[in-house]
Amino acid sequence: MRQVIETHGIAAKKALGQNFLLDLNLTAKIARQAGDLSACDVLEVGPGPGGLTRGLLAEGARRVLAIEKDPRCIPALEEIAAAYPGRLQVILGDALEVDPLVHLTPPIRVAANLPYNVGTELLIRWLTPPAWPPFWDSLTLMFQREVAERIVAQPGGKAYGRLALLAQWRCEARIVLNLPPEAFSPPPKVSSAVVHLTALPAPRYPADPKVLEQVIAMAFNQRRKMMRAACKGLVPDLEDHLIAAGIKPTDRAETVALEQFCALARSVKAAR
Protein backbone atom coordinates (compact mmCIF):
# COMPACT_ATOMS: atom_id res chain seq x y z
CA MET A 1 0.00 0.00 0.00
CA ARG A 2 2.90 2.37 0.61
CA GLN A 3 4.01 1.76 -2.96
CA VAL A 4 0.49 2.50 -4.22
CA ILE A 5 0.46 5.78 -2.30
CA GLU A 6 3.88 6.75 -3.62
CA THR A 7 3.04 5.76 -7.21
CA HIS A 8 -0.14 7.84 -7.28
CA GLY A 9 1.08 10.69 -5.08
CA ILE A 10 -1.65 10.28 -2.48
CA ALA A 11 -0.48 12.13 0.62
CA ALA A 12 -3.18 12.11 3.30
CA LYS A 13 -5.03 15.42 3.63
CA LYS A 14 -6.14 16.61 7.04
CA ALA A 15 -8.94 18.65 5.45
CA LEU A 16 -10.48 15.41 4.16
CA GLY A 17 -10.07 13.60 7.48
CA GLN A 18 -7.71 11.09 5.87
CA ASN A 19 -5.58 8.58 7.76
CA PHE A 20 -4.68 5.63 5.57
CA LEU A 21 -4.55 2.09 6.93
CA LEU A 22 -1.68 0.40 5.09
CA ASP A 23 -1.38 -3.02 6.73
CA LEU A 24 -3.33 -5.42 4.49
CA ASN A 25 -3.46 -7.99 7.28
CA LEU A 26 -5.37 -5.45 9.37
CA THR A 27 -7.69 -4.43 6.54
CA ALA A 28 -8.50 -8.12 5.95
CA LYS A 29 -9.21 -8.51 9.67
CA ILE A 30 -11.60 -5.55 9.59
CA ALA A 31 -13.34 -6.96 6.52
CA ARG A 32 -13.89 -10.25 8.36
CA GLN A 33 -15.67 -8.39 11.16
CA ALA A 34 -18.45 -7.65 8.65
CA GLY A 35 -19.24 -11.38 8.43
CA ASP A 36 -19.91 -13.50 5.37
CA LEU A 37 -20.07 -11.08 2.44
CA SER A 38 -20.44 -13.59 -0.38
CA ALA A 39 -24.15 -12.86 -0.82
CA CYS A 40 -23.98 -9.13 -0.03
CA ASP A 41 -23.33 -5.82 -1.70
CA VAL A 42 -21.04 -3.67 0.44
CA LEU A 43 -21.03 0.12 0.69
CA GLU A 44 -17.62 1.60 1.51
CA VAL A 45 -17.22 5.32 2.19
CA GLY A 46 -13.81 6.96 1.95
CA PRO A 47 -11.77 4.03 0.59
CA GLY A 48 -8.70 6.20 -0.03
CA PRO A 49 -6.03 4.14 -1.83
CA GLY A 50 -8.09 0.99 -1.31
CA GLY A 51 -6.64 -0.98 1.59
CA LEU A 52 -10.00 -2.00 3.07
CA THR A 53 -11.46 -2.28 -0.43
CA ARG A 54 -8.95 -5.01 -1.22
CA GLY A 55 -9.82 -6.74 2.03
CA LEU A 56 -13.56 -6.70 1.34
CA LEU A 57 -13.11 -8.12 -2.14
CA ALA A 58 -10.55 -10.71 -1.05
CA GLU A 59 -12.92 -11.84 1.71
CA GLY A 60 -15.54 -12.56 -0.95
CA ALA A 61 -17.85 -9.55 -1.08
CA ARG A 62 -20.33 -10.07 -3.90
CA ARG A 63 -19.88 -6.45 -4.96
CA VAL A 64 -18.42 -3.27 -3.44
CA LEU A 65 -19.57 0.29 -4.06
CA ALA A 66 -16.77 2.68 -3.05
CA ILE A 67 -17.59 6.38 -2.72
CA GLU A 68 -14.47 8.55 -2.69
CA LYS A 69 -14.30 12.35 -2.55
CA ASP A 70 -10.58 12.66 -3.36
CA PRO A 71 -9.92 12.41 -7.12
CA ARG A 72 -6.26 11.49 -6.46
CA CYS A 73 -7.41 8.09 -5.17
CA ILE A 74 -9.47 7.12 -8.21
CA PRO A 75 -6.60 5.67 -10.33
CA ALA A 76 -5.53 3.41 -7.45
CA LEU A 77 -9.12 2.22 -6.97
CA GLU A 78 -9.51 1.62 -10.71
CA GLU A 79 -6.51 -0.71 -10.56
CA ILE A 80 -8.33 -2.75 -7.91
CA ALA A 81 -11.50 -2.76 -10.04
CA ALA A 82 -9.50 -4.17 -12.94
CA ALA A 83 -8.20 -6.97 -10.69
CA TYR A 84 -11.78 -7.86 -9.63
CA PRO A 85 -13.82 -7.49 -12.83
CA GLY A 86 -17.46 -6.57 -12.26
CA ARG A 87 -17.17 -6.53 -8.46
CA LEU A 88 -16.04 -2.99 -7.67
CA GLN A 89 -17.79 0.22 -8.65
CA VAL A 90 -16.06 3.48 -7.79
CA ILE A 91 -17.96 6.77 -7.54
CA LEU A 92 -16.18 10.11 -7.24
CA GLY A 93 -18.36 12.20 -4.99
CA ASP A 94 -19.42 13.26 -1.52
CA ALA A 95 -20.99 10.43 0.50
CA LEU A 96 -23.30 12.97 2.13
CA GLU A 97 -24.80 13.72 -1.27
CA VAL A 98 -24.65 10.41 -3.19
CA ASP A 99 -27.65 8.05 -3.00
CA PRO A 100 -26.03 4.59 -2.76
CA LEU A 101 -29.30 2.69 -3.21
CA VAL A 102 -29.29 3.50 -6.91
CA HIS A 103 -26.19 1.31 -7.24
CA LEU A 104 -26.74 -1.45 -4.67
CA THR A 105 -28.80 -4.64 -4.49
CA PRO A 106 -29.93 -6.05 -1.10
CA PRO A 107 -28.79 -7.54 1.14
CA ILE A 108 -26.47 -4.61 1.85
CA ARG A 109 -23.78 -4.13 4.48
CA VAL A 110 -21.71 -1.04 5.18
CA ALA A 111 -18.00 -1.36 5.96
CA ALA A 112 -15.70 1.65 6.08
CA ASN A 113 -12.77 3.42 7.65
CA LEU A 114 -14.83 6.59 7.81
CA PRO A 115 -13.15 9.97 7.32
CA TYR A 116 -13.01 11.55 10.77
CA ASN A 117 -14.71 14.76 9.65
CA VAL A 118 -17.96 13.12 8.43
CA GLY A 119 -18.06 9.82 10.32
CA THR A 120 -20.51 10.81 13.05
CA GLU A 121 -22.87 12.58 10.65
CA LEU A 122 -23.01 9.55 8.36
CA LEU A 123 -23.65 7.23 11.31
CA ILE A 124 -26.57 9.33 12.53
CA ARG A 125 -28.06 9.37 9.03
CA TRP A 126 -27.83 5.59 8.82
CA LEU A 127 -29.39 5.21 12.28
CA THR A 128 -32.32 7.58 11.66
CA PRO A 129 -33.95 6.69 8.31
CA PRO A 130 -37.66 7.46 7.86
CA ALA A 131 -38.53 3.75 7.96
CA TRP A 132 -37.08 0.77 9.79
CA PRO A 133 -35.52 -1.75 9.08
CA PRO A 134 -32.97 0.34 7.12
CA PHE A 135 -31.43 -0.41 3.74
CA TRP A 136 -28.43 -2.01 5.50
CA ASP A 137 -28.18 -5.19 7.55
CA SER A 138 -25.05 -4.20 9.47
CA LEU A 139 -22.50 -1.42 9.83
CA THR A 140 -18.80 -2.18 10.41
CA LEU A 141 -17.20 1.20 10.93
CA MET A 142 -13.93 2.61 12.18
CA PHE A 143 -13.99 5.67 14.44
CA GLN A 144 -11.76 7.44 16.86
CA ARG A 145 -11.73 5.32 20.01
CA GLU A 146 -13.56 8.02 21.98
CA VAL A 147 -16.43 8.05 19.46
CA ALA A 148 -16.61 4.24 19.44
CA GLU A 149 -16.91 4.21 23.22
CA ARG A 150 -19.76 6.73 23.04
CA ILE A 151 -21.65 4.46 20.63
CA VAL A 152 -21.52 1.42 22.94
CA ALA A 153 -21.72 3.32 26.26
CA GLN A 154 -24.14 2.22 28.98
CA PRO A 155 -26.43 4.48 31.07
CA GLY A 156 -24.77 6.30 33.93
CA GLY A 157 -21.32 6.63 32.39
CA LYS A 158 -19.72 9.84 31.15
CA ALA A 159 -19.70 8.56 27.56
CA TYR A 160 -23.44 7.84 27.55
CA GLY A 161 -25.37 10.25 25.34
CA ARG A 162 -26.93 10.88 21.98
CA LEU A 163 -24.87 8.37 19.98
CA ALA A 164 -25.43 5.53 22.47
CA LEU A 165 -29.18 6.16 22.57
CA LEU A 166 -29.65 6.36 18.80
CA ALA A 167 -27.42 3.34 18.14
CA GLN A 168 -28.78 1.06 20.85
CA TRP A 169 -32.42 1.97 20.24
CA ARG A 170 -32.38 0.13 16.93
CA CYS A 171 -29.17 -1.92 16.90
CA GLU A 172 -26.89 -4.29 18.71
CA ALA A 173 -23.60 -2.38 18.99
CA ARG A 174 -20.18 -3.60 20.09
CA ILE A 175 -16.52 -2.75 19.64
CA VAL A 176 -14.84 -5.58 17.74
CA LEU A 177 -11.32 -4.27 17.14
CA ASN A 178 -8.91 -1.68 18.55
CA LEU A 179 -6.14 -0.09 16.49
CA PRO A 180 -3.19 1.99 17.71
CA PRO A 181 -2.19 5.27 16.00
CA GLU A 182 0.90 3.68 14.43
CA ALA A 183 -1.31 1.44 12.28
CA PHE A 184 -2.10 4.49 10.13
CA SER A 185 -0.28 6.86 7.84
CA PRO A 186 0.02 9.53 9.04
CA PRO A 187 -0.51 8.34 12.64
CA PRO A 188 -3.44 10.20 14.23
CA LYS A 189 -3.10 11.61 17.73
CA VAL A 190 -5.69 9.17 19.10
CA SER A 191 -6.39 5.44 18.99
CA SER A 192 -9.12 4.04 16.77
CA ALA A 193 -11.70 1.29 17.12
CA VAL A 194 -14.01 -0.68 14.85
CA VAL A 195 -17.67 -0.83 15.86
CA HIS A 196 -20.05 -3.45 14.50
CA LEU A 197 -23.76 -2.57 14.55
CA THR A 198 -26.43 -5.09 13.61
CA ALA A 199 -29.86 -3.72 12.76
CA LEU A 200 -32.68 -5.05 14.94
CA PRO A 201 -35.90 -6.09 13.16
CA ALA A 202 -37.73 -3.39 15.13
CA PRO A 203 -36.70 -0.69 17.64
CA ARG A 204 -36.37 -1.79 21.27
CA TYR A 205 -39.13 0.64 22.30
CA PRO A 206 -41.74 2.50 20.23
CA ALA A 207 -41.02 6.18 19.57
CA ASP A 208 -41.25 8.67 16.74
CA PRO A 209 -37.67 8.99 15.39
CA LYS A 210 -37.82 12.74 14.81
CA VAL A 211 -39.30 13.48 18.22
CA LEU A 212 -36.91 11.10 19.97
CA GLU A 213 -33.91 12.72 18.29
CA GLN A 214 -35.16 16.17 19.32
CA VAL A 215 -35.66 15.05 22.93
CA ILE A 216 -32.21 13.43 23.05
CA ALA A 217 -30.51 16.45 21.48
CA MET A 218 -32.09 18.84 23.99
CA ALA A 219 -31.43 16.54 26.95
CA PHE A 220 -27.71 16.18 26.21
CA ASN A 221 -27.04 19.65 24.85
CA GLN A 222 -26.28 20.85 28.36
CA ARG A 223 -25.30 17.70 30.23
CA ARG A 224 -24.83 19.33 33.61
CA LYS A 225 -28.44 20.45 33.79
CA MET A 226 -31.38 18.56 35.24
CA MET A 227 -33.85 17.10 32.74
CA ARG A 228 -36.51 19.71 33.42
CA ALA A 229 -34.01 22.51 32.76
CA ALA A 230 -32.33 20.87 29.76
CA CYS A 231 -35.66 20.21 28.02
CA LYS A 232 -37.35 23.45 29.03
CA GLY A 233 -39.58 24.71 26.23
CA LEU A 234 -40.02 21.28 24.62
CA VAL A 235 -43.73 21.12 25.54
CA PRO A 236 -46.01 22.81 28.07
CA ASP A 237 -46.19 21.11 31.48
CA LEU A 238 -42.88 19.36 30.89
CA GLU A 239 -42.68 17.99 34.43
CA ASP A 240 -45.98 16.13 33.93
CA HIS A 241 -44.53 14.48 30.83
CA LEU A 242 -41.31 13.58 32.64
CA ILE A 243 -43.31 11.92 35.43
CA ALA A 244 -45.52 10.11 32.89
CA ALA A 245 -42.34 8.74 31.27
CA GLY A 246 -41.05 7.47 34.60
CA ILE A 247 -38.39 10.18 34.88
CA LYS A 248 -37.95 12.06 38.12
CA PRO A 249 -37.73 15.81 37.53
CA THR A 250 -34.38 15.72 39.39
CA ASP A 251 -32.82 13.13 37.05
CA ARG A 252 -29.82 14.29 35.08
CA ALA A 253 -29.90 13.55 31.35
CA GLU A 254 -26.96 11.13 31.41
CA THR A 255 -28.65 8.88 34.01
CA VAL A 256 -31.89 8.39 32.06
CA ALA A 257 -32.19 5.03 30.28
CA LEU A 258 -33.28 4.39 26.69
CA GLU A 259 -36.76 3.12 27.62
CA GLN A 260 -37.47 6.32 29.55
CA PHE A 261 -36.30 8.55 26.68
CA CYS A 262 -38.61 6.68 24.28
CA ALA A 263 -41.49 7.05 26.73
CA LEU A 264 -40.79 10.79 26.99
CA ALA A 265 -40.71 11.08 23.18
CA ARG A 266 -44.12 9.35 22.96
CA SER A 267 -45.51 11.66 25.63
CA VAL A 268 -44.15 14.75 23.86
CA LYS A 269 -45.61 13.63 20.52
CA ALA A 270 -49.01 13.03 22.12
CA ALA A 271 -48.94 16.52 23.65
CA ARG A 272 -48.43 18.06 20.23
Side-chain angles (χ1 to χ4, degrees):
M1 289 305 301
R2 292 187 185 279
Q3 185 178 352
V4 170
I5 289 174
E6 291 174 2
T7 299
H8 296 283
I10 311 172
K13 288 186 176 180
K14 186 176 182 180
L16 296 175
Q18 292 175 330
N19 294 94
F20 299 143
L21 189 58
L22 305 182
D23 188 332
L24 294 181
N25 291 320
L26 279 176
T27 57
K29 191 172 183 178
I30 295 169
R32 287 194 290 271
Q33 301 303 319
D36 184 0
L37 302 175
S38 59
C40 300
D41 278 11
V42 179
L43 170 62
E44 183 187 8
V45 173
L52 180 57
T53 314
R54 292 170 185 259
L56 293 168
L57 291 165
E59 291 299 318
R62 178 176 68 189
R63 190 165 164 276
V64 174
L65 173 67
I67 302 176
E68 176 54 58
K69 189 175 183 179
D70 187 350
R72 300 174 304 154
C73 298
I74 301 303
L77 294 169
E78 288 177 344
E79 290 178 359
I80 301 173
Y84 293 91
R87 294 178 57 199
L88 173 60
Q89 179 181 358
V90 180
I91 293 179
L92 176 62
D94 188 335
L96 296 173
E97 300 175 358
V98 175
D99 180 6
L101 297 184
V102 177
H103 310 279
L104 295 168
T105 302
I108 299 166
R109 299 185 185 182
V110 181
N113 172 13
L114 292 174
Y116 284 166
N117 55 355
V118 296
T120 301
E121 183 175 353
L122 283 169
L123 174 63
I124 291 173
R125 287 191 182 192
W126 290 329
L127 292 174
T128 57
W132 195 268
F135 73 86
W136 49 269
D137 293 345
S138 69
L139 307 172
T140 305
L141 306 173
M142 188 185 302
F143 296 97
Q144 295 180 26
R145 173 78 188 185
E146 179 185 355
V147 176
E149 290 175 345
R150 285 161 48 199
I151 294 169
V152 303
Q154 297 301 304
K158 290 184 178 180
Y160 188 68
R162 181 188 183 202
L163 283 181
L165 283 157
L166 292 177
Q168 296 172 40
W169 177 43
R170 288 171 154 177
C171 301
E172 294 285 355
R174 57 194 177 95
I175 293 177
V176 294
L177 197 62
N178 293 300
L179 294 98
E182 53 268 25
F184 299 86
S185 178
K189 295 181 180 180
V190 295
S191 297
S192 301
V194 177
V195 180
H196 184 75
L197 301 101
T198 305
L200 296 172
R204 296 183 191 278
Y205 306 103
D208 181 280
K210 290 184 178 179
V211 178
L212 178 61
E213 190 171 0
Q214 183 183 6
V215 169
I216 291 171
M218 292 187 71
F220 287 98
N221 186 44
Q222 301 180 69
R223 297 178 67 100
R224 297 181 64 85
K225 287 191 174 184
M226 300 297 182
M227 283 290 291
R228 61 182 174 184
C231 296
K232 186 178 180 181
L234 187 62
V235 289
D237 305 317
L238 176 62
E239 289 199 22
D240 292 339
H241 294 284
L242 289 169
I243 293 169
I247 303 171
K248 297 177 183 179
T250 55
D251 283 347
R252 294 184 181 274
E254 61 266 31
T255 66
V256 181
L258 172 58
E259 182 178 5
Q260 291 174 306
F261 268 111
C262 290
L264 178 57
R266 294 196 297 273
S267 182
V268 167
K269 184 180 180 182
R272 292 174 175 175

